[in-house]
Amino acid sequence: MTDMDQEGAVARKVLVSGRVQGVGFRVATVEAARRIGVAGTVRNLFDGRVEAIIEGAPQVVEQMLDWLRSGPPTARVEQVQVTEARPTGASGFELR
């Protein structure tokens, strides 16, 4: 797991649209995040999108963003919006 106390950590808020609820997207996101080594959270939004907050070293955050752009095979990602966020020093990745 990436050391989130390291200087240079970045964070991103990601909104994923498409067929991303009811298809295992959040569980697959948790598994991918833990495998890649980012910290953060993932949750469903009432409007049908999934929101992920990810943080870690820049290169692992980019790997996670790449994964979120396609998601698991059961999903159909249509749009991904990425905005910068402030790193919090989070450890682990949780489903909310």
Side-chain angles (χ1 to χ4, degrees):
M1 177 76 58
T2 303
D3 180 3
M4 294 300 121
D5 293 329
Q6 252 180 14
E7 192 170 314
V10 297
R12 300 290 182 263
K13 176 180 176 181
V14 186
L15 298 173
V16 185
S17 304
R19 192 180 76 207
V20 294
Q21 289 191 11
V23 294
F25 194 97
R26 291 177 304 148
V27 171
T29 298
V30 171
E31 292 169 355
R34 290 177 179 168
R35 182 178 66 252
I36 291 168
V38 295
T41 61
V42 64
R43 67 183 180 131
N44 282 340
L45 298 177
F46 290 114
D47 64 6
R49 296 180 296 173
V50 168
E51 176 190 74
I53 308 295
I54 57 174
E55 70 178 83
Q59 66 272 19
V60 295
V61 167
E62 283 303 318
Q63 286 178 339
M64 190 66 201
L65 290 173
D66 287 344
W67 187 90
L68 287 166
R69 289 182 179 105
S70 58
T74 53
R76 187 182 72 244
V77 175
E78 294 175 359
Q79 183 177 15
V80 177
Q81 296 173 282
V82 180
T83 55
E84 289 190 27
R86 175 172 287 171
T88 64
S91 62
F93 200 91
E94 299 177 6
L95 186 139
R96 297 250 165 113

